[in-house]
Amino acid sequence: QQQVKQSPQSLIVQKGGISIINCAYENTAFDYFPWYQQFPGKGPALLIAIRPDVSEKKEGRFTISFNKSAKQFSLHIMDSQPGDSATYFCAASMPGVNALNFGKGTSLLVTP
Amino acid sequence: DGGITQSPKYLFRKEGQNVTLSCEQNLNHDAMYWYRQDPGQGLRLIYYSQIVNDFQKGDIAEGYSVSREKKESFPLTVTSAQKNPTAFYLCASSIVASLNTEAFFGQGTRLTVV
């Protein structure tokens, strides 16, 4: 079964707006939570990642918010740009097992 | 140029045939992975290997086989036992450390059964 649940499935945001994608997990053994960005026909690339000892991590326009008690984490894209249009995947993994458990993905479209 | 190379980019297979997808990395990573991507399904783990000559089944290993004879290479064979093999296949690698680290992905192989 899907160990990481991601929503929404698709998202349309105007240029300059904030894009928010949410993920939830059940396995409390997870200790690494990355977000990957994928463009059509390409492999995913790491965007930003967080560990559960911090509640927020920011890199440029991208921020991960992490709520350990709720077992939820989210990606915020500030000042969204048309070049951000892509599919975004959240993921999680356990210590010592690098294999990632992925959410089903969110297709983001940023309109001009 | 360091990275992961998957070949071929597109592959067509007749029903009942086995086919092998290539994955090579020059990042000196110990761990390698195979994922399958279907529309709306995310990436699902087929097999992974954390060391040469050892590998483990992932969530959807049935109908697939792998080998890890060299650190740089982790080929995936899609056998005739795989009922629905048409998909986008992604190979990845990472270092193995006490804390999980970034996985680097190849550009994928799109397999179509005709």
Side-chain angles (χ1 to χ4, degrees), chain B residues 5-93:
Chain B
T5 302
Q6 290 188 241
S7 61
K9 188 171 183 179
Y10 298 97
L11 189 56
F12 296 88
R13 188 195 94 175
K14 292 183 179 180
E15 280 193 33
Q17 288 181 339
N18 292 357
V19 64
T20 297
L21 282 60
S22 171
C23 179
E24 304 277 334
Q25 55 99 358
N26 61 5
L27 300 168
N28 199 33
H29 286 170
D30 289 303
M32 297 187 74
Y33 318 84
W34 275 105
Y35 291 90
R36 170 180 170 143
Q37 185 173 16
D38 297 281
Q41 293 297 315
L43 282 72
R44 293 180 290 168
L45 182 66
I46 304 172
Y47 270 98
Y48 67 101
S49 167
Q50 301 205 93
I51 196 169
V52 173
N53 291 323
D54 188 45
F55 48 82
Q56 285 76 41
K57 293 181 179 180
D59 299 320
I60 56 166
E62 185 175 351
Y64 300 98
S65 65
V66 294
S67 63
R68 187 85 188 278
E69 297 176 2
K70 298 186 301 181
K71 187 176 184 178
E72 305 79 24
S73 178
F74 192 40
L76 174 74
T77 297
V78 184
T79 74
S80 57
Q82 169 50 233
K83 299 302 180 190
N84 185 19
T86 295
F88 189 49
Y89 291 88
L90 287 158
C91 178
S93 72

Side-chain angles (χ1 to χ4, degrees), chain A residues 2-3 9 31-32 36 38 41-46 51 89 93-105, chain B residues 9 33 35 37 40-43 45 48 50 59 88 90 94-107:
Chain A
Q2 201 88 23
Q3 295 201 54
Q9 186 175 354
D31 75 339
Y32 177 66
Y36 279 80
Q38 184 182 33
K42 304 295 184 183
L46 180 67
R51 299 192 188 278
F89 294 96
S93 64
M94 292 186 286
V97 182
N98 295 58
L100 293 166
N101 298 274
F102 283 89
K104 291 190 175 184
Chain B
K9 188 171 183 179
Y33 318 84
Y35 291 90
Q37 185 173 16
Q41 293 297 315
L43 282 72
L45 182 66
Y48 67 101
Q50 301 205 93
D59 299 320
F88 189 49
L90 287 158
S94 70
I95 64 173
V96 175
S98 57
L99 294 178
N100 290 338
T101 59
E102 178 180 358
F104 292 83
F105 283 83
Q107 295 300 287

